[in-house]
Structure formats: C-alpha cells, structure tokens
Amino acid sequence: MSKPLVVVESPAKAKTISKFLGSDYDVRASVGHVADLPSKGLNIDVDNGFKPTYELTDRGRDVVKDLRKALKDASELYLATDEDREGEAISWHLVEHLKPKVPVKRMVFHEITESAIQHAIDNPRGIDYGLVDAAETRRILDRLYGYEVSPVLWRRVNRGLSAGRVQSPSIRLIVERERERIAFVAADYWDIDLLSATSPAFDAKLVGVGGDKVASGKDFDDRGQIKSTASGTPVAIDEARARALAAGLESARFSVRSVEEKPYRSSPKPPFMTSTLQQEGGRKLRLSSSQVMRVAQGLYERGFITYMRTDSVTLSAEAMTATRAAVTSEYGQNHLSPQPKQYTSKSKNAQEAHEAVRPVTPYRSPKQVEGELNSQELALYRLIWQRTLASQMADATGVTVSVRLGAVSEHEQTDCEFSASGTTITFPGYRAVYVAADDDGDGTKEALLPPLAQGEVVPVESLAPNGHTTSPPARYTEASLVKRLEELEIGRPSTWASIIQTIQDRGYVWKKGQALVPTWTAFAVVGLLEQHFTDLVDYELTAKMDDDLDAIANGDMQKDVWLQRFYFGDDESLPGLKRIVEENLDKIDAAAINTFPLGHDDNGELVVAKPGKYGPYVKRGDDTASVPDDMPPDELDVAKALELLALPKSDEPIGEMDDYPVFAKNGRFGPYVQWGSPDDLPPGLDKPRMSSLFSTMTLDQITLDDAKKLLQLPRSLGQDPADGKEIVANNGRYGPYVVKEKDFRSIDSEEQLLTITLEEASKIFALPKVFKRGGRNMAAKGPLREFGTDPVSERPVVAKDGRFGVYVTDGETNASIGKGDRVEEITPERAYELLAIRRDAVAAKGGTAKKSTRKKAAAKKKPAKKKAATKKTAAKKNATVEQPD
C-alpha cells in the first residue's frame, strides 16, 4: 500500500520525526544539499540571465536514486527541509531532480514535537520561490565574488587565497582591530587603594586631588594622552606623587563627605536568537561558534529545542504559557514577571525562523533530560532553558550606595577624595536562574557597605599606592566578532559560525587563547581590497547586499536584474564587479601591498615585515629573518625585528658532527638546529635532520654540544618489555612526550627527553592515559564507538571526540561526521562512506592517501559528468572557486 514520502535534511531529524508519524509515513533524509555548482569554473551564464549550471553532488546522486525508488510507491511527497532560504533551496532541488508525479507539499515547522509535525502535515504550503530566488542569488553572488576577486589575490599576494562577500569584511574587522593595537601608545598612571577597618570592610579608590579629578584608564586616548572634557582635564598621578600622598595620609582623619542611595533595577534579556546563543555559548561554555551551532543542530533535530537559526526573540503563545508555568513551578509565583514579556528583534529583516531558540513544548528541565544528552549538549540545553525562563521572570531589585570620603595629606597639605560604591540586591528576580555574560564579566556583583552618615569618621586599615598601564583595544573573540557582525548587519545567523571557521582554516586568522589574531597575509589581503576594491569590504554596502537578498525573498526585487547590476553595473556611479576587477588589476603594486614598514634602525635603514610563501619574515636591505608563526603583528616592532635579524644566519655553521655541518637557525616555527644541508647530507638521510631548541635555550647561546644532544631526537628508547613495541622520546608542538605506536604520553620537562630510560617510559605507559583540562589531569576518553573493519583500508574504524568535533577514523584517514549525523546512530556503512568520501577528497587534491587506498576508492566512484567549456580564460577555467560565505 502506498504511503506519503517525507524528506528532511538529516538522518537524525528523520529518525525523530519517524517516531511521531509512525509506520504510515516513509521518512527519508537528503543529507543536506543534493545539488550545487561544480567546484571548478564559473558555471554561471552571465550573458543569459545569470543561469547557473548545477550538478548532483557525489552523495546527492545516491540520495536522489534512493528517493526516486521510494517515490514509485509513494502517494504524495512532503518536503520537510528547514524553513530558511537554504532549506527552501534544498526542497526546490529535490523537486527538480526527482521530477515527482505525485502531489508535492511543503511542510514547515520550527520545533520537532508531535503537535508541531502534525500541524505541518495538516497545513502544507507550496515551495516559496522568493526564498529559492534569494538562496540562488546568494549562491551566485558568492561564486561571482570568489571567481573574480580570488585570482587577483593569487597574483598579487599568494596562491590559494580567497575572497568572500562576508568573509572579507570579517577579516577586515579583525585586521582593523590589530592596527589599532599596533598604533596604541600605553600610558602609566597611579592611584591609591584604601581598605577600611569597618565591619564589613570596603574598598575605596582615590578619585580627586586638590579639587582635580584623578585620571583613570578611561581618561586616556589611544595615543597615551589625557582626554579633555567639558568639565576639565583630569590629572595623571605618577608613582612618586602617589607614594608621597599615601605616606602623607597615614595619620590623616578620613570622614564621610557624601552618601548617595539609588534604587537598583535590572531586567532580564530576551530569549536566545542565533547570534546571542553563539555569544553566550562562547563566553559561558568556551565553545567556538561552529561548536555551538553543531551542538544546537543536534538538539533541534532530536526534538529538544526549536530551530536554532533565527533572528527572532519572540515566544509563541504556547511557549509563553509553558515558560511562565515553568517559572512558577521552579521558583515560585513571586519570581514571575507581573505581565508576559514579549521582546522584539533589533534586526530589520528577520529572514530565518520566526521564534526564539527555546526548549520545545512540553518543557523538560535539564534534570529531566540529563540521561539523554552528553555533557556538552546538556550544558547548552541548560543555557537555553535558563535564558528562556529568565526572560519571563521579575526584575532584580536592590539599592546602590555611593560614598565619598575625604582627608588632607600632609604632603603639600593636599586635599584627597576617595570613592566607594556597593550594590545590595534585595530581590534576585531573574538572576536566580540566569545572569548574562559580557566581555567584562558576569553582570553586577554585590558589594556591601556598612551604614555610613555624612561627617562620620571612617577608620582605615591600609593605603596602597597602585600602578596601572592602559591596555590596547581587546582583540575580537568569536563571541565579540559575532556581536559586531550582527551590529553591522553583515551576513546572517546561518553564516557567522562557518565564516569564522573558514577564515581560520584558510590562514587569515589564528587563535591566541580565545582571541582572533590576523596573520600578515590577512594584512596584505585587506590592504589590497581597501585600496583597490573599496566597495567589496565596505561594511554598509555588504549589509545592503543582505537587505537586497531579503527584498528578493519578499518579491520586492528581481533576482536577474539585481545580479546584472551587481556584476555589470549600470552607470559610472556603479561600474559593477567585472569592470572594477578589470580596471584595477594592473594598478596593484604587489611589492607595496606585501610590505609593512616597522620603522628604521639606528643607521636610518628601513625595516619591514612581509608575508611570504613559507611564512612571514622581516627584512632590512638584503638581510632577512623568519618571524615565528605564533608572534602577533602588534608584538613585532623595530626592536623585535632587529633582534630576529641579529640571530645566527643559516649559512654560518656552529660546528661539525661526524664531518657534516651543524647549523642553528630561526624558522617560522621557532629556533632549531640542523645537521647537514641539501647539498651535503650525512649518510642515510634524504634530507637534513632538524630539531627544535628547548624553551630554555636561545640561538645566541646554543653550543655545538647542545646541538648534538638535540639532534638525538627523536630518540628511540627500545622495545617496551610489556608488549615488545618501540618507545620513542621526542619534542612536539604541545611539549615533550614519549610515544608507542599512536599512544602519546606527555613527560615533565624537555630536558627529560635526553635522560629518560626505557624502564621509566615503560612505567608511564603502564599507567592509565590522562590529559590536561583546566590545569587538572583528566582520564583520557576511549573511542566513542567501534564500527568494525573498513572494507577499503582493512583497518578498524572508531568514532572519537576531537578538537573540532566528533569524527570517524581508521587510524589512517579522519573524517568529520556529516551534518545531521549523530555518533549514536551512525551505521558502520555510513562510517565507511564518510571515510571513502574523505579519501576521494584528499586524492582529488593530490593528497597523501596511500596509493592502494586511492585506487580502491577511485574504482567505486562514478565517472564525472562532462561539462561544456566556457568562453573564459584558461586560468579562470581551471580555477578552483572557493565555497560560498
């Protein structure tokens, strides 16, 4: 008997929906997009209405084949992809390639519950071709942008670089912040901290001297100068004066000059939308934006939260009722806001789902679901639960007291004034469940002051002069970058996480702790775009593009008309992308774009920094030196550059070992020693042997004996008596270690590498494996799952939890699990498929997959479909175009 076929994006989502629909429906997954523009070439007919040429993806071919087979026995087709642009585009592609002969219905929902799914079944709609046009315009726009601009970067900066509509302005933000840090001039200033001898004790800070305001950090500009205000210019106190004033106050009488009380009230923040979820997930849970979205996607698809890509902060009537009932149940009626609080989004065009990110109804507390979620999922679910409940809770109230104390210092008989303030929260309200994080800490902190009256004498426990230095603007973190992109209205919630990951993967940005640090290559790319393609990195124009995409989705603009104007222009005021590139390419001075002056040495010779093919370097005349990859641009000044240039050069050996030269060098990964040279190799080596210096060593002090010891590494200790496997000691990126096959164990110090014995190492491997987290030793995790033996590599396949998420591996090839896949539900066949796809990708790029593996994997691949050649240049015809923003 025929039954309806329901198609969703992911296997996890399909499984959850199947539980609600039962056996009367056949629920299948498309596993994301089934079709896309081919990765090479333009594949857009710019002279014929910008018609794109799509092809089925490798996975899409199999998906479409299976769905066609299922359609033969289907009574109707329900397309249940996500309710945003991309979801609409997936549904459209499915219709285009399946060519169904049964009725087609579009079902949409923003939460996966039985009632929501049934409502979607009962109230289907057609495909929204406005959303499809917007999605296709975005895809074409990104391809045109990358196809035209990326080759400019290849020719003028370096091969393999890419430009993107949202990517490039994002990089510009990070580079601009680093420029501010480079230009920043620090200023020193002092004040005095007073600790009272009252009960409770309180702290006060010197704020006035002789009637003048004492300067604090916020009173200095980025050049280290004090800013003047309408009320006057603050006075900077230096160390000598601060100490003299403090000494003169030792026997002074401190009295209360004023006491001011103000009511304190704080209101809860709205429920989460995508941007705030990413920001709070980063600040509170220390997750990257992509990690937040990956975990949220899993929670949504398994029916725990509503759709996680949304600009909206509203709650439905059902959710409002459930939220207020949960507040009353968990915290009592007095913690509930008197009236329902409905919030509005600041976004001009909330083009994604139309409700906030919240738990699905009926609500379940974190305690009720803890057995169904792993620790990361539970932490994010708890955050969403708390924020949702807090949004309908009463305001927090209290009293803030500000006090001014005064005394006269015997030093020059100077009048000194101190300030103290404290907040007493009398009713916590929403703070009982949730306090929002920000870049400066966790909201308001309570601080009690004793009852004080004007004229009262306050006993003092201590006076401590305190020195401070102004700090440059903080680098962006993923959370603060998302916040800034949202403020500028650049991109959309669904793009931010992937963009931030992309700019790291492509070498424009790296992380120092949580901070995003630009590379010198990013400086070069941004400089080129600012000077020659200003509009392409203009924040307002980029935001305007997203507004235009919304207009196309709403039917207020025509896709082909907008693309024609963007690409070809329409008059002198809007030349169009194609003409901008053609007119500017020959004007770009590659040498100037890739040169960043640092200053002059004592002889007046210019010292510059430059990005290079093998990493950044500094240059003075013909003299060059590598810059360590982990040195941020704002730390590279003239003094540091001269220090790098003064290090021993690679062509000056420090001695010989077995008649072959030994060199001490400085490279992109730091200082190291090298035995032999490409033209003078010791016997048995096909390249020079290299070893990094220990952290306690410097190039200017390295001796030949030190170098010989370092060149012993990696050092074989022999076979472990326990299992006969070889143990090797070596130094790595994360410190010294011993390794047996692929089992790595850290050891205490680098010096231990030269002295550790086989017996000592064997004892280390006999202990349970541990890793560091938060300065503590934690038991190492084993495989999350075991799948069996891979039919291609004939090696055991397991799932592991890695730095960038869950992946499957056979010990030779690693493959991240696909969108919508859950490790608990992946079949062995799916795990083997992910590895095969990864091998094919590596082989296509000329990677290092084993030859036998590549042949086996290639034998299973279907021949690629031939495409007609375009009338573009050969260089562009073969260009690999970057994936969209």
Side-chain angles (χ1 to χ4, degrees):
M1 187 177 90
S2 63
K3 54 185 176 182
L5 173 64
V6 179
V7 182
V8 300
E9 285 102 329
S10 74
K13 190 174 174 183
K15 184 174 181 179
T16 305
I17 291 175
S18 292
K19 290 189 296 186
F20 300 131
L21 295 179
S23 59
D24 293 337
Y25 290 80
D26 182 8
V27 185
R28 306 285 183 102
S30 70
V31 197
H33 281 276
V34 297
D36 197 5
L37 297 172
S39 60
K40 292 187 177 181
L42 181 58
N43 296 293
I44 298 167
D45 189 348
V46 297
D47 298 317
N48 186 25
F50 292 85
K51 184 177 180 180
T53 299
Y54 293 105
E55 69 174 7
L56 289 171
T57 63
D58 288 343
R59 183 189 296 166
R61 291 190 189 94
D62 294 334
V63 169
V64 168
K65 180 180 177 181
D66 292 341
L67 290 178
R68 282 175 180 164
K69 192 180 299 182
L71 264 177
K72 292 179 181 179
D73 300 320
S75 59
E76 53 190 338
L77 173 63
Y78 282 94
L79 300 170
T81 52
D82 290 343
E83 56 174 328
D84 56 13
R85 292 179 195 157
E86 295 305 307
E88 212 70 23
I90 292 171
S91 287
W92 174 66
H93 278 302
L94 286 169
V95 171
E96 290 289 302
H97 289 281
L98 293 175
K99 297 181 170 43
K101 297 178 181 178
V102 296
V104 178
K105 300 176 181 178
R106 178 80 169 98
M107 57 182 284
V108 293
F109 42 85
H110 65 270
E111 63 180 335
I112 303 177
T113 61
E114 187 169 4
S115 60
I117 298 303
Q118 191 57 53
H119 183 270
I121 288 282
D122 295 339
N123 298 275
R125 62 167 172 80
I127 290 177
D128 187 332
Y129 286 98
L131 286 176
V132 173
D133 280 350
E136 186 169 73
T137 303
R138 195 272 309 160
R139 186 69 183 93
I140 293 172
L141 168 62
D142 289 340
R143 175 55 62 90
L144 293 172
Y145 194 119
Y147 185 79
E148 292 289 352
V149 182
S150 294
V152 176
L153 303 183
W154 303 345
R155 297 170 192 170
R156 296 297 184 263
V157 182
N158 208 343
R159 294 291 301 177
L161 299 178
S162 65
R165 176 179 58 91
V166 179
Q167 171 187 311
S168 297
S170 300
I171 299 170
R172 182 188 175 194
L173 282 170
I174 296 169
V175 168
E176 284 182 335
R177 180 58 55 86
E178 196 72 11
R179 288 173 178 163
E180 292 173 10
R181 291 176 63 88
I182 291 172
F184 182 81
V185 178
D188 295 328
Y189 63 96
W190 283 69
D191 55 26
I192 301 173
D193 287 340
L194 177 153
L195 176 63
S196 75
T198 57
S199 180
F202 63 90
D203 295 312
K205 191 176 290 292
L206 179 69
V207 294
V209 172
D212 294 322
K213 179 180 182 294
V214 173
S216 62
K218 63 184 180 182
D219 295 311
F220 291 86
D221 61 21
D222 59 3
R223 307 306 296 169
Q225 302 299 311
I226 295 179
K227 295 179 287 188
S228 296
T229 65
S231 57
T233 303
V235 175
I237 304 295
D238 60 18
E239 180 179 4
R241 191 176 184 197
R243 293 192 181 282
L245 287 171
L249 288 168
E250 289 292 345
S251 57
R253 181 172 176 269
F254 286 83
S255 60
V256 177
R257 292 183 175 176
S258 66
V259 179
E260 183 180 6
E261 282 192 9
K262 289 183 179 179
Y264 165 83
R265 178 175 291 272
S266 174
S267 300
K269 291 185 180 293
F272 282 130
M273 56 182 176
T274 304
S275 62
T276 51
L277 179 63
Q278 290 179 15
Q279 291 168 45
E280 290 288 272
R283 291 166 182 155
K284 284 184 174 286
L285 306 181
R286 312 298 282 179
L287 297 176
S288 68
S289 297
S290 57
Q291 286 176 317
V292 170
M293 296 309 292
R294 175 173 61 82
V295 175
Q297 178 94 26
L299 290 173
Y300 164 67
E301 290 174 344
R302 294 169 62 208
F304 288 95
I305 65 171
T306 54
Y307 191 54
M308 64 287 155
R309 282 188 276 274
T310 174
D311 289 331
S312 175
V313 291
T314 61
L315 295 176
S316 66
E318 180 186 14
M320 182 72 76
T321 301
T323 302
R324 294 180 68 80
V327 170
T328 303
S329 173
E330 296 277 337
Y331 298 96
Q333 184 72 28
N334 65 325
H335 276 75
L336 185 68
S337 65
Q339 298 296 326
K341 294 185 177 184
Q342 196 59 275
Y343 301 89
T344 56
S345 174
K346 295 179 182 178
S347 174
K348 290 185 296 186
N349 299 293
Q351 62 95 22
E352 310 281 355
H354 302 294
E355 193 174 354
V357 183
R358 59 166 175 82
V360 299
T361 52
Y363 280 7
R364 292 191 291 167
S365 70
K367 189 171 183 60
Q368 291 174 303
V369 301
E370 62 184 4
E372 303 173 56
L373 303 175
N374 63 36
S375 59
Q376 206 170 67
E377 292 168 335
L378 183 61
L380 190 64
Y381 181 82
R382 181 180 291 110
L383 204 64
I384 294 168
W385 161 269
Q386 292 172 337
R387 178 85 168 219
T388 305
L389 264 60
S391 72
Q392 294 304 313
M393 293 176 72
D395 292 353
T397 57
V399 177
T400 297
V401 179
S402 298
V403 175
R404 289 291 177 114
L405 307 177
V408 176
S409 172
E410 293 180 1
H411 176 67
E412 299 177 354
Q413 293 299 302
T414 306
D415 181 76
C416 297
E417 191 165 83
F418 290 74
S419 175
S421 64
T423 297
T424 301
I425 295 175
T426 55
F427 177 66
Y430 75 92
R431 291 172 62 94
V433 62
Y434 187 87
V435 178
D438 55 40
D439 286 333
D440 304 313
D442 286 342
T444 302
K445 293 180 174 61
E446 287 194 84
L448 294 176
L449 295 180
L452 296 171
Q454 189 170 345
E456 183 177 345
V457 175
V458 175
V460 174
E461 176 70 26
S462 64
L463 290 160
N466 238 333
H468 309 272
T469 301
T470 55
S471 300
R475 292 189 178 96
Y476 285 107
T477 62
E478 291 198 17
S480 61
L481 181 60
V482 165
K483 182 179 180 181
R484 185 59 179 146
L485 290 171
E486 180 188 17
E487 291 170 349
L488 293 171
E489 298 188 331
I490 294 174
R492 283 293 182 258
S494 56
T495 66
W496 293 325
S498 61
I499 287 298
I500 292 172
Q501 189 61 53
T502 296
I503 62 178
Q504 293 177 71
D505 292 343
R506 293 180 179 166
Y508 290 117
V509 172
W510 57 280
K511 273 190 169 182
K512 184 177 183 181
Q514 294 294 308
L516 297 171
V517 183
T519 62
W520 287 106
T521 297
F523 272 74
V525 167
V526 169
L528 184 153
L529 294 174
E530 286 175 331
Q531 294 176 40
H532 301 281
F533 304 96
T534 308
D535 288 353
L536 301 186
V537 287
D538 183 273
Y539 301 133
E540 290 186 9
L541 290 177
T542 303
K544 176 69 165 54
M545 287 185 193
D546 281 302
D547 290 342
D548 291 346
L549 291 176
D550 291 329
I552 292 170
N554 296 331
D556 298 328
M557 283 187 179
Q558 294 300 309
K559 175 187 71 174
D560 52 350
V561 173
W562 189 90
L563 286 168
Q564 175 79 19
R565 190 165 182 265
F566 169 77
Y567 190 66
F568 290 112
D570 56 11
D571 53 38
E572 286 301 318
S573 64
L574 186 71
L577 176 66
K578 182 177 177 62
R579 184 171 150 195
I580 289 172
V581 172
E582 290 174 346
E583 291 181 352
N584 280 276
L585 182 59
D586 293 334
K587 299 177 183 177
I588 300 171
D589 183 342
I593 287 293
N594 289 280
T595 301
F596 303 94
L598 300 176
H600 296 80
D601 66 9
D602 293 339
N603 298 320
E605 192 166 5
L606 182 65
V607 181
V608 300
K610 297 174 75 72
K613 184 177 181 181
Y614 302 107
Y617 63 96
V618 289
K619 183 177 183 181
R620 177 182 55 182
D622 295 328
D623 195 8
T624 63
S626 296
V627 175
D629 275 5
D630 60 355
M631 179 180 290
D634 73 331
E635 294 180 12
L636 183 60
D637 55 16
V638 175
K640 188 63 182 178
L642 294 175
E643 183 182 317
L644 293 171
L645 289 165
L647 293 173
K649 296 297 181 285
S650 58
D651 55 353
E652 301 171 2
I654 61 173
E656 291 186 350
M657 184 169 72
D658 298 338
D659 298 326
Y660 291 92
V662 175
F663 301 92
K665 299 185 175 186
N666 189 47
R668 60 182 299 196
F669 302 113
Y672 64 98
V673 291
Q674 174 182 307
W675 184 36
S677 65
D679 300 327
D680 192 13
L681 289 172
L685 298 182
D686 56 2
K687 60 182 179 180
R689 178 177 293 171
M690 302 175 190
S691 185
S692 296
L693 269 62
F694 290 167
S695 57
T696 54
M697 299 176 175
T698 59
L699 278 178
D700 58 343
Q701 295 179 341
I702 192 79
T703 66
L704 182 59
D705 286 342
D706 293 332
K708 288 179 178 179
K709 292 175 182 177
L710 292 172
L711 289 166
Q712 295 177 39
L713 304 175
R715 176 174 159 246
S716 176
L717 306 182
Q719 276 71 41
D720 190 340
D723 54 20
K725 296 177 181 177
E726 183 184 26
I727 299 178
V728 175
N730 201 5
N731 213 357
R733 180 180 179 185
Y734 301 107
Y737 63 88
V738 287
V739 59
K740 181 168 61 173
E741 286 195 334
K742 293 194 174 182
D743 185 1
F744 291 81
R745 304 293 181 96
S746 295
I747 58 177
D748 294 334
S749 68
E750 292 173 313
E751 285 71 21
Q752 195 179 0
L753 289 169
L754 306 175
T755 61
I756 190 168
T757 65
L758 176 61
E759 181 182 3
E760 292 169 337
S762 182
K763 289 179 180 178
I764 292 174
F765 284 102
L767 297 172
K769 188 171 184 178
V770 298
F771 64 96
K772 291 281 188 181
R773 174 172 290 174
R776 296 182 296 137
N777 287 330
M778 308 286 289
K781 296 179 182 178
L784 300 177
R785 275 193 65 191
E786 298 179 356
F787 296 102
T789 303
D790 184 84
V792 176
S793 67
E794 300 178 349
R795 297 168 66 95
V797 178
V798 297
K800 292 186 176 183
D801 195 1
R803 182 182 178 192
F804 302 108
V806 179
Y807 65 98
V808 293
T809 178
D810 61 357
E812 188 175 69
T813 302
N814 297 339
S816 298
I817 65 171
K819 178 185 177 183
D821 287 325
R822 277 190 60 80
V823 68
E824 298 89 346
E825 299 162 358
I826 291 179
T827 63
E829 292 73 21
R830 175 64 175 150
Y832 307 151
E833 178 192 16
L834 289 170
L835 290 173
I837 291 170
R838 178 60 183 157
R839 291 189 197 100
D840 289 346
V842 172
K845 294 178 180 179
T848 57
K850 288 187 175 180
K851 186 178 288 187
S852 59
T853 302
R854 286 202 301 267
K855 285 183 178 178
K856 289 178 183 178
K860 296 187 177 184
K861 288 185 67 178
K862 295 183 180 180
K865 184 174 72 175
K866 292 184 178 179
K867 304 177 191 65
T870 62
K871 296 180 181 180
K872 299 291 176 187
T873 64
K876 285 189 176 178
K877 188 192 304 179
N878 296 317
T880 299
V881 181
E882 304 300 335
Q883 290 304 306
D885 287 328

